Amino acid sequence: MGRLYQHQQNQRFVLISNMKKILSIFLILIICLFLYQSARAETFGYTTLGITNGSGNGSWIYCSNLNTTASISGDVDSITAAFDGGGSVKGIILDSSFNILTNGITPAQSSASGWVDLPYSTKPSVVSGNTYYPCVIHTGVSQMKYDGLISNTSRYDSTNNYATPQNAGCMTLSNVRISLYATYTAGGAVATSTTEITGDVIIQGDISIQ
């Protein structure tokens, strides 16, 4: 009888030990998945570097009309656009009504040749499933890069102001795929952390963690 009891106790100990390991691994996987989703960067707009240069006019807002639905909720990190030289430029995020988001205008910088990142100092927020337009506005004529003519792939507002950009209101559709997009992160940037999981598993009909 004593040996049977001891055997049962040993089996119970092994079962509890294995269940602790399984639960710990499961919780670690959940935490890793959460951190991955939180830190994952997404884009909306057109991310391909165009092969053609096109002149942009000063104080006009130009927006990509491609891939304009946010797939996750989060904060916009930057606007990125491609140029072949030009003047000063700002990035802008418009909502589905062509209104500028809160904190939706980036600081100005020069539009050097190639991809130019326009980071936000205070990041605007976007909501999954909603429509947003990544845009830029220039001080003067700027050579923006784009790809071949496809209907309704960009928009522009010819009545705006570079110094104090305003809501676009009504925008005109255009047929160039402007190399222009926004990068955003779910919930904003997440700091790296180390998580230690401790606890005992108690089997009393149900499983609980203490």
Side-chain angles (χ1 to χ4, degrees), residues 50-55 82-84 143-146:
I51 61 174
T52 305
N53 297 327
S55 297
F83 301 92
D84 188 34
Q143 296 287 324
M144 297 189 66
K145 289 187 174 292
Y146 69 92

Side-chain angles (χ1 to χ4, degrees), residues 5-56:
Y5 176 78
Q6 184 62 43
H7 178 69
Q8 290 174 337
Q9 289 293 98
N10 290 340
Q11 285 187 320
R12 183 172 182 271
F13 175 80
V14 171
L15 176 62
I16 291 173
S17 179
N18 289 337
M19 292 188 70
K20 278 185 63 177
K21 292 177 182 178
I22 293 171
L23 286 172
S24 296
I25 292 171
F26 180 70
L27 290 173
I28 290 172
L29 288 174
I30 290 176
I31 292 170
C32 289
L33 179 61
F34 171 76
L35 292 174
Y36 169 76
Q37 292 289 343
S38 298
R40 181 166 55 104
E42 299 285 349
T43 61
F44 49 84
Y46 186 58
T47 60
T48 300
L49 181 62
I51 61 174
T52 305
N53 297 327
S55 297

